[in-house]
Amino acid sequence: MTIPKGYEWLSTLGQLPRTIQEGLALLGVQEIVGKGSNKTIIGWRDELNQAGVKVVGYSDDDIPWCGLFAAIVVHRAGKNAVENPLWARNWSKFGDPVSIAGLGDVLVFVRNGGGHVGFYVAEDATAYHVLGGNQSNRVSITRVAKDRCIARRRPRYINAPLSVKSYRVAAGGALSRNEA
């Protein structure tokens, strides 16, 4: 697993939440813009459908896929995805609500034309640092304004890793404006 520059501190935390482990393993996967689709992304749909997670209406990686990414990550982490996982705002029903986000929690955001979903990595004064899919057409960690967040949801754990807590980091890079 390659950890992006500026987030190397993740490797010093010991046991990471499975959502972060699984998500980081997919860093760099990107869609094919225009004609054609990345077979890996389409394969996530097939893997989820075979596992009984209904992914309906997803035929091309030009269709927003942040919810598909969230679903494959939670599935591989041994958790249950929400119903209709492609709809980012449906993730506001996942797990349990928390007032303060911690590593590996699901964050749901509002955006023009819909929503966005990803996983909390860290935060700075104005933004969450989000591990997500379909962020600049790829799996990445990007900054998303906190005031766009409409839900913070924690996976249900029997024993949560000690690393499941908030992390403050310096702001770096531009804010994401639209994840479609």
Side-chain angles (χ1 to χ4, degrees):
M1 152 177 44
T2 303
I3 297 177
K5 186 175 184 202
Y7 299 96
E8 297 90 351
W9 54 269
L10 287 167
S11 65
T12 69
L13 299 179
Q15 183 184 4
L16 297 173
R18 289 280 311 274
T19 52
I20 296 299
Q21 292 175 33
E22 297 295 341
L24 288 174
L26 300 173
L27 273 172
V29 172
Q30 63 185 57
E31 71 181 63
I32 296 172
V33 178
K35 189 175 181 177
S37 292
N38 184 316
K39 290 180 177 148
T40 297
I41 297 170
I42 298 300
W44 298 342
R45 174 204 63 196
D46 298 340
E47 180 180 335
L48 289 164
N49 280 323
Q50 288 176 346
V53 179
K54 281 180 118 177
V55 179
V56 179
Y58 191 81
S59 58
D60 187 286
D61 67 10
D62 285 334
I63 296 168
W65 51 275
C66 63
L68 181 66
F69 171 78
I72 197 66
V73 166
V74 301
H75 167 70
R76 290 179 178 176
K79 308 291 183 191
N80 294 322
V82 297
E83 192 171 330
N84 297 315
L86 293 180
W87 294 99
R89 290 187 184 197
N90 282 353
W91 287 92
S92 64
K93 302 171 194 161
F94 176 79
D96 296 313
V98 292
S99 57
I100 298 172
L103 186 63
D105 288 351
V106 169
L107 301 177
V108 181
F109 300 91
V110 65
R111 70 169 177 82
N112 285 339
H116 182 63
V117 62
F119 299 93
Y120 176 99
V121 172
E123 63 189 274
D124 58 55
T126 60
Y128 289 116
H129 295 235
V130 179
L131 171 59
N134 206 29
Q135 298 180 156
S136 298
N137 295 333
R138 64 188 174 96
V139 177
S140 65
I141 298 174
T142 194
R143 294 177 65 234
V144 181
K146 287 181 176 179
D147 63 4
R148 291 180 45 209
C149 188
I150 58 172
R152 291 169 295 282
R153 307 291 294 195
R154 180 150 302 153
R156 292 188 176 116
Y157 293 106
I158 294 170
N159 294 306
L162 296 176
S163 60
V164 177
K165 59 183 181 179
S166 298
Y167 295 91
R168 294 287 270 191
V169 295
L175 278 176
S176 178
R177 298 284 180 214
N178 189 344
E179 299 74 32

